[in-house]
Amino acid sequence: MKVFHRAQDLQRYLSNLRTNNRSVGFVPTMGALHQGHLSLVELSRLKNQVTVVSIFVNPTQFNDAADLEKYPRTPGKDIELLDTVGCEVVFLPTVEEVYPNGLDQKIQALDFGQLEKVMEGAMRPGHFAGVAHVVERLLDLTRPDRLYMGQKDYQQVAIIRSMIAQREIDVKLVVGPTVREVDGLAMSSRNVRLNENLRDRAAELSRVLSDAKSAILAGGLPPEVAARSSDLLAALPGFKVEYFEVFDGDSLQPVSEAKAESIVIALAVWVGDVRLIDNVIVR
Ligand code: PAF
């Protein structure tokens, strides 16, 4: 496995591969890798001769300095894990490599319209501009055939799909399913920050999501199901609900009818001092 720290070295290595017609799959990450990330590497390896994983805790997508500081960083362990799944290339850049002109360099703005006015976009101002900026930069450096992202960040995927379309980038976006712990908790780099007691109870998030899905499939009205589910979670000690939304999977706008063509349910909940997100596709 090759590990690169400098953009130039990565680009040189990949351009040699491309002249030999090797297809490249790319998995962008912020490290603290778990089975969810590794499943994306495995998906990529099924279709591409070379899989590149980037590990970069991107400062521009954190609107809370404390969250950026607390974000787990485990590069040594990450590299070992990537080796076990046969990843060929790891890119571990410094902030200067990714942002050579400084963190607040101006780029031509993207317009995500309503996609970024709801849920994560509403709660974390500037978050998606930072995510889109870094993914655009990483795509420019790696020029992959396929980009792999996880369904767990449903809204992030919608934003990246829109960025790819707006910038007319020639890459296929592949979305991998959410990987869960045995009790249903969606895998996340943030889970390691839950104490034992909260870790056990955090499985309530996926339980409530899956009950909400069943209720809607049984004809329950989305706004009522959302309100009931949100109340259930809010009543749990140490839990604080930021949002619990039932929405159209493309526009991300709320749906009111159980019969709607496309329905996704997503939540963001503070469990103790750890903010977790999860979602489930109803149809
Ligand atoms: O999902 C993440 O880990 C990050 O938002 C991403 C896509 C790697 C961009 O920094």
Side-chain angles (χ1 to χ4, degrees):
M1 191 170 67
K2 295 259 177 213
V3 180
F4 295 104
H5 297 277
R6 295 183 44 208
Q8 228 184 17
D9 297 337
L10 174 79
Q11 284 174 302
R12 196 171 307 130
Y13 182 78
L14 292 178
S15 75
N16 278 341
L17 287 177
R18 259 183 312 258
T19 50
N20 293 322
N21 270 337
R22 303 281 180 93
S23 63
V24 175
F26 175 51
V27 184
T29 82
M30 297 207 297
L33 302 182
H34 49 68
Q35 197 50 45
H37 299 108
L38 300 184
S39 72
L40 294 176
V41 175
E42 280 160 354
L43 261 189
S44 167
R45 294 196 73 234
L46 291 175
K47 284 269 183 195
N48 304 282
Q49 277 121 356
V50 178
T51 294
V52 181
V53 172
S54 63
I55 299 177
F56 178 65
V57 182
N58 173 35
T60 67
Q61 71 188 76
F62 286 83
N63 51 331
D64 172 359
D67 194 24
L68 171 60
E69 194 161 313
K70 280 187 288 186
Y71 203 84
R73 290 162 172 89
T74 55
K77 191 168 157 240
D78 292 343
I79 289 176
E80 277 173 28
L81 283 173
L82 290 172
D83 213 18
T84 65
V85 287
C87 169
E88 285 86 3
V89 179
V90 184
F91 181 43
L92 257 166
T94 57
V95 171
E96 291 71 28
E97 287 291 318
V98 177
Y99 296 105
N101 302 319
L103 283 181
D104 46 24
Q105 70 177 293
K106 293 279 168 279
I107 49 163
Q108 195 199 338
L110 291 157
D111 183 3
F112 297 113
Q114 293 302 316
L115 291 183
E116 69 170 339
K117 300 213 164 58
V118 293
M119 298 184 285
E120 296 302 291
M123 293 297 164
R124 306 174 68 187
H127 169 66
F128 284 128
V131 170
H133 187 173
V134 79
V135 175
E136 183 179 356
R137 168 83 175 129
L138 292 168
L139 285 176
D140 191 40
L141 293 176
T142 48
R143 301 190 178 271
D145 299 277
R146 297 181 187 84
L147 166 66
Y148 292 83
M149 302 190 83
Q151 186 208 305
K152 168 151 175 291
D153 295 291
Y154 192 94
Q155 190 175 10
Q156 169 168 280
V157 170
I159 292 283
I160 295 303
R161 186 173 287 120
S162 166
M163 180 274 281
I164 288 170
Q166 290 182 59
R167 295 290 201 228
E168 299 181 4
I169 299 173
D170 184 17
V171 67
K172 182 171 161 44
L173 175 59
V174 183
V175 184
T178 303
V179 180
R180 298 181 180 278
E181 303 284 357
V182 180
D183 64 1
L185 176 65
M187 289 202 185
S188 161
S189 307
R190 293 167 196 261
N191 292 353
V192 295
R193 291 183 38 225
L194 295 164
N195 68 32
E196 207 178 313
N197 174 28
L198 289 173
R199 163 64 194 84
D200 286 346
R201 286 191 290 130
E204 282 303 317
L205 301 182
S206 64
R207 225 166 282 144
V208 171
L209 271 178
S210 115
D211 287 351
K213 171 175 174 170
S214 307
I216 291 171
L217 287 174
L221 284 180
E224 285 170 17
V225 172
R228 212 167 43 235
S229 308
S230 178
D231 288 349
L232 270 174
L233 288 169
L236 298 171
F239 283 47
K240 207 175 120 223
V241 179
E242 257 188 22
Y243 62 77
F244 192 106
E245 298 283 345
V246 184
F247 55 90
D248 176 278
D250 294 321
S251 69
L252 309 191
Q253 297 309 295
V255 293
S256 49
E257 299 290 330
K259 288 200 283 284
E261 216 172 278
S262 156
I263 304 183
V264 179
I265 314 175
L267 57 73
V269 175
W270 287 89
V271 177
D273 66 349
V274 185
R275 184 178 185 276
L276 298 178
I277 62 171
D278 197 359
N279 66 75
V280 66
I281 296 175
V282 177
R283 90 165 60 89

